[in-house]
Amino acid sequence: MLSIDVVTIFPRMIAAPLAEGIVGRAVSRGLARVGVHDLRDYSENRHRTVDDAPFGGGPGMVMKPEPFFRAVEALLEGGPGRDDAVALLSPRGDRFTQKTALRYASLRRLVLLCGRYEGVDERVGRTLATEEISIGDYVLTGGEVAALAVIEATIRLLPGALGDETSAACDSFCEGLLDHPQYTRPAVFRGIAVPRILLSGDHARVRRWRRMEALRSTCMRRPDLLSRADLDEGDRALLSEIERGSLEARPALESMREAEPGMPKACEEVQDHEPHGKS
Ligand code: SAM
């Protein structure tokens, strides 16, 4: 079972959202445990102070190292083991990705340290935390919302957390691509029809359409992912089709070929493959 501990000056910000939905269910079924700890309980003075003015001057306050060290030493006696991580939430950290979430889902203990104010004394990130993680290139007022994002992305990957085990495997980023578009009833809404192929009942064509649309979305929205994605010959043929149908897709595909010079030119390549039916 994965045990997560969050250290924060605002414990109530963490507790309520974790009681809901898939995460709440996973916790109540014992797939994960989440403990929330008030950093002020680990302060060394009676005023429960956890911050101080920055050395060198400047605006705002900096979070002191001692309460974080005391908290983590109380939570992980003997320090973090091989299957444990202590992550400081920080905009200066490594980007938190689906890959990080997968790694966290395989841990025994995960301790998340939330900063506030101007940030946390550097010695926490450097010597107490095993890593620093950022949830994106923007600055939040504190680490709590970032910790919730990390917890949610991690817990939903635990075996048994989702109703349908295949669902997480089909999500965006799992195979290095964005997910395909999803539709539900009604088949026509405000004059916009669902792609006909999805109503055809032909599972092989639906699968192919979904792969094509996943490739198309990635190509148009996140071309940076494409050159690192796990693509087979069928995918390359689909990409060539996308390229022929869309001028906008060309710059992304060209830069992918630059990153991966072995990839054949689109138009010649498709001639070696069975012609694909249009959806
Ligand atoms: N002065 C800091 C900087 O520019 O890097 C920003 C401090 S921020 C106002 C306060 C706290 O919010 C940080 O210590 C961190 O815990 C959290 N935080 C803010 N943005 C974050 C992000 N993108 N990812 C993870 N944590 C973040």
Side-chain angles (χ1 to χ4, degrees), residues 129-201:
T130 58
E131 51 210 272
E132 290 187 47
I133 47 169
S134 162
I135 63 160
D137 291 348
Y138 41 80
V139 178
L140 302 165
T141 54
E144 291 74 15
V145 168
L148 285 169
V150 169
I151 293 170
E152 186 153 320
T154 301
I155 286 188
R156 71 189 290 285
L157 294 176
L158 295 175
L162 297 178
D164 178 347
E165 284 305 299
T166 58
S167 151
C170 302
D171 283 333
S172 291
F173 310 113
C174 279
E175 292 179 324
L177 297 178
L178 299 181
D179 197 4
H180 56 76
Q182 303 276 8
Y183 291 90
T184 185
R185 273 182 277 274
V188 181
F189 175 67
R190 299 198 175 178
I192 307 166
V194 166
R196 251 186 313 157
I197 199 163
L198 296 179
L199 313 177
S200 69

